Amino acid sequence: MSASPSDRERAALPVAYGTAMGMLERSRISGGETVLVTGASGGVGLALVQLASACGARVVALTGASKAAALREAGAAAVPFREADPAELRRRLEEAAPEGWTPSRPVPQQPRAPPTTTDRTGPGRLRETGGVN
């Protein structure tokens, strides 16, 4: 993002940071844990790197070489490159988490609300249908 963000960039902030915050909350990440962010170079990934780092987690951000400096600046402790050969990538990931990786905790599913339907007749018909996840 530029020093003077455009309206479009400012409008995307709540989406990216809200999504990243929801991911952190639902996975119950806490300080001292190591977090692997596999899509770290996108908007949500960058927000996740910043927020997880601010929560005290050690962040490993998987990205392309061109984004490494920005992710380190955002708080990533290690930045392995996805274009590395598989053996090198494995070595870098093992180096980043010498104690090994623990799969993410299962995220509890939210109950689904029943779908709603509204019909109105008259001039111009309105039909709304949908559910909340």
Side-chain angles (χ1 to χ4, degrees):
M1 188 179 313
S2 61
S4 179
S6 69
D7 289 342
R8 188 177 213 158
E9 289 172 320
R10 285 193 297 266
L13 286 174
V15 174
Y17 283 85
T19 300
M21 195 66 200
M23 293 168 75
L24 283 175
E25 289 171 353
R26 292 187 76 188
S27 60
R28 297 185 286 277
I29 298 299
S30 61
E33 293 185 289
T34 300
V35 178
L36 174 63
V37 180
T38 58
S41 56
V44 173
L46 177 61
L48 188 55
V49 168
Q50 291 173 329
L51 293 172
S53 179
C55 289
R58 183 172 182 278
V59 178
V60 178
L62 184 62
T63 190
S66 66
K67 306 276 182 150
L71 289 166
R72 283 189 190 97
E73 187 177 316
V79 185
F81 304 141
R82 75 172 58 110
E83 61 267 352
D85 71 83
E88 174 65 14
L89 180 56
R90 181 182 189 95
R91 187 188 68 71
R92 296 273 324 263
L93 289 172
E94 288 171 353
E95 205 174 77
E99 71 285 351
W101 293 95
T102 303
S104 176
R105 295 174 199 83
V107 176
Q109 295 297 312
Q110 298 292 330
R112 290 182 172 218
T116 59
T117 303
T118 304
D119 275 318
R120 296 188 188 132
T121 56
R125 180 182 157 143
L126 171 65
R127 178 170 176 80
E128 298 172 347
T129 183
V132 178
N133 290 333

